[in-house]
Amino acid sequence: MMNLLDYNREDLGQFFTEWGEKPFRATQVLKWVHQLGITDFDQMTNLSKTLRQRLQTETSLTIPQIVTEQISVDGTRKWVLELADGNRIEMVFIPEDDRNTLCISSQVGCALDCSFCSTAQQGFSRNLTVGEIIGQLWLAEHHLRSQDIYATDVQQRAISNVVLMGMGEPLANFKNVVKAMNLMRDDFSYGLSWRRITLSTAGIVPAMERLKQECPVNLAVSLHAPTDELRNELVPINKKYPIAELLEACCDYIKNENRRKITFEYVMLQDFNDSPKQAQQLAKLLRNVPAKINLIPFNPFPNSPYQRSSQARINTFRDILINAGLITVTRKTRGDDIDAACGQLVGRVFNKRQGHTKPITMQPRIMG
Ligand code: SAH
């Protein structure tokens, strides 16, 4: 059965036209579902009874199920969500003084195999559907609202910012991710401006060009190394799209856009990519790129081969970049008591590559 959550405004307009309905039914349904959180067609009182019944029998509104909710001492929440086929993904809610950010997943597992990321160890199962991507925002928004949790900077909205930084490589699921982002931006659903949406990529260069054409949201790029030799090892997709090509694509992405910058993520791995010399190489590399650098202290996971850089090393690294004129911040580690930090999301992935199912047992540690 078709899931109406997979449809954006344009799709719904077409759909209703095919049913002989007025196209404005699309905005009515979007409002019910996304703005008001209503999934029971019977409650959509501005639709005719016949239409409601037809929707009821011929379509569905399928939303991922919350399996567990863990709340960190710092207020960060991590939800494990189960999809219709039994796969599980994770999403994270990060409340801050001036914004509430939701970090969502774009794939079940990930195929890119970055050596420092726990999602990579699960292998890759499949792309998320549009409904499964926008369904994460739907769930968080309406669940938090039902608990009277609102963002301070936007009225009557729980989530003010969305980052595609959960499980998966969003640009490897381009079509569905862009359609879901269209829904995030649509005034009849979530009305988030592109400034409040950030997509993080390991650097799929051709898709960056398409993103600029189709849905130019903020871009974060997982750089993690100042040389191709080291980046090949940490982020293997670098062998296909090496640093020079990647940085050119970054500059193109923001060309002719005033005041925009690319965020570069750089995970701090002790004695691996965190030396003063590497900081200097990085500064040189980015000297002509409108950049913001986000240093992410490595978040360990079981059997990970790396250690988090010491605070002293992180500070030295940061100061070298700042002295070279680069805007640099160290990302605060949030929710690490519930394994909700960057690179710790695992879910449960029915792994196609390994040809067998590999359940990851979550140990819910409910706090707060
Ligand atoms: N595939 C996309 C989206 C993932 S975003 C990308 O690569 O950008 C998650 C961010 O956390 C990325 O910058 C990723 O490189 C980083 N990350 C992954 N594992 C991590 C870990 N163990 N500790 C800290 N950061 C990590």
Side-chain angles (χ1 to χ4, degrees):
M1 204 185 313
M2 50 165 298
N3 182 5
L4 286 188
L5 222 63
D6 286 329
Y7 285 44
N8 64 9
R9 183 166 9 148
E10 204 184 328
D11 298 337
L12 281 173
Q14 254 172 30
F15 166 80
F16 282 118
T17 311
E18 277 163 30
W19 274 17
E21 292 283 339
K22 293 274 183 299
F24 68 77
R25 298 286 175 221
T27 52
Q28 289 178 321
V29 168
L30 279 184
K31 278 185 162 179
W32 283 115
V33 175
H34 294 289
Q35 278 186 4
L36 300 168
I38 303 290
T39 53
D40 174 4
F41 293 114
D42 267 343
Q43 290 181 42
M44 303 185 183
T45 45
N46 55 5
L47 310 181
S48 74
K49 197 128 196 240
T50 349
L51 178 57
R52 276 165 7 203
Q53 253 154 18
R54 189 162 177 205
L55 286 167
Q56 185 78 51
T57 47
E58 294 180 39
T59 72
S60 74
L61 278 164
T62 308
I63 288 156
Q65 299 276 318
I66 296 182
V67 183
T68 55
E69 174 180 42
Q70 293 168 265
I71 307 178
S72 160
V73 286
D74 69 13
T76 301
R77 294 173 187 230
K78 181 169 86 170
W79 291 283
V80 176
L81 306 180
E82 185 158 305
L83 311 174
D85 64 357
N87 272 307
R88 289 182 179 184
I89 53 168
E90 301 186 347
M91 70 172 178
V92 180
F93 170 69
I94 308 147
E96 288 173 278
D97 291 343
D98 62 339
R99 68 182 73 178
N100 284 347
T101 303
L102 185 70
C103 174
I104 64 176
S105 295
S106 56
Q107 297 183 311
V108 185
C110 188
L112 294 190
D113 216 18
C114 299
S115 58
F116 52 87
C117 179
S118 65
T119 303
Q121 309 221 319
Q122 317 309 309
F124 174 69
S125 174
R126 65 171 176 84
N127 283 331
L128 294 185
T129 62
V130 177
E132 289 165 341
I133 300 168
I134 202 69
Q136 295 172 65
L137 179 54
W138 187 95
L139 267 179
E141 178 66 37
H142 299 293
H143 177 75
L144 292 167
R145 263 193 227 172
S146 73
Q147 300 185 8
D148 284 326
I149 295 172
Y150 292 98
T152 46
D153 64 333
V154 270
Q155 276 185 341
Q156 309 207 305
R157 205 189 302 163
I159 305 294
S160 63
N161 294 63
V162 174
V163 296
L164 285 112
M165 295 189 184
M167 297 166 65
E169 167 51 49
L171 291 186
N173 183 13
F174 189 88
K175 220 171 99 232
N176 293 349
V177 162
V178 165
K179 198 172 263 192
M181 291 195 301
N182 282 334
L183 274 166
M184 292 172 201
R185 296 170 67 184
D186 194 317
D187 283 335
F188 291 100
S189 33
Y190 300 92
L192 294 175
S193 108
W194 62 262
R195 279 167 229 278
R196 293 180 177 276
I197 304 173
T198 302
L199 182 150
S200 178
T201 179
I204 317 271
V205 166
M208 289 163 64
E209 288 156 18
R210 279 180 68 198
L211 188 68
K212 177 176 173 147
Q213 304 306 321
E214 294 182 33
C215 193
V217 294
N218 287 320
L219 195 63
V221 172
S222 294
L223 191 56
H224 305 317
T227 62
D228 281 323
E229 195 189 355
L230 184 58
R231 194 165 189 270
N232 285 345
E233 200 178 318
L234 298 174
V235 185
I237 192 79
N238 191 69
K239 293 176 200 152
K240 198 158 176 195
Y241 306 113
I243 292 176
E245 267 179 51
L246 176 60
L247 293 184
E248 200 185 319
C250 288
C251 291
D252 284 348
Y253 192 81
I254 49 174
K255 199 159 63 194
N256 308 327
E257 304 276 348
N258 269 337
R259 288 183 292 121
R260 275 183 90 173
K261 288 189 165 49
I262 302 282
T263 299
F264 289 96
E265 293 153 298
Y266 196 100
V267 65
M268 297 299 290
L269 308 168
Q270 176 83 25
D271 297 326
F272 229 86
N273 65 353
D274 66 344
S275 73
K277 181 169 174 234
Q278 285 160 325
Q280 276 149 8
Q281 287 174 322
L282 183 63
K284 197 167 163 212
L285 195 63
L286 296 181
R287 76 184 160 220
N288 294 322
V289 184
K292 260 192 306 211
I293 303 173
N294 221 319
L295 302 179
I296 314 174
F298 172 65
N299 295 306
F301 51 89
N303 305 321
S304 55
Y306 304 104
Q307 282 182 329
R308 179 183 291 186
S309 305
S310 68
Q311 196 58 50
R313 260 175 106 79
I314 297 177
N315 292 347
T316 308
F317 198 92
R318 180 200 59 202
D319 291 343
I320 292 170
L321 296 171
I322 290 177
N323 288 335
L326 287 157
I327 302 168
T328 309
V329 295
T330 308
R331 189 178 285 175
K332 258 188 288 171
T333 296
R334 297 289 303 259
D336 52 353
D337 55 337
I338 55 167
D339 291 344
C342 305
Q344 292 186 314
L345 303 186
V346 288
R348 179 178 70 185
V349 176
F350 297 144
N351 185 348
K352 280 198 186 138
R353 207 168 47 188
Q354 291 173 3
H356 62 87
T357 60
K358 190 172 163 196
I360 303 303
T361 341
M362 299 295 308
Q363 296 288 339
R365 277 176 277 160
I366 314 281
M367 312 184 72

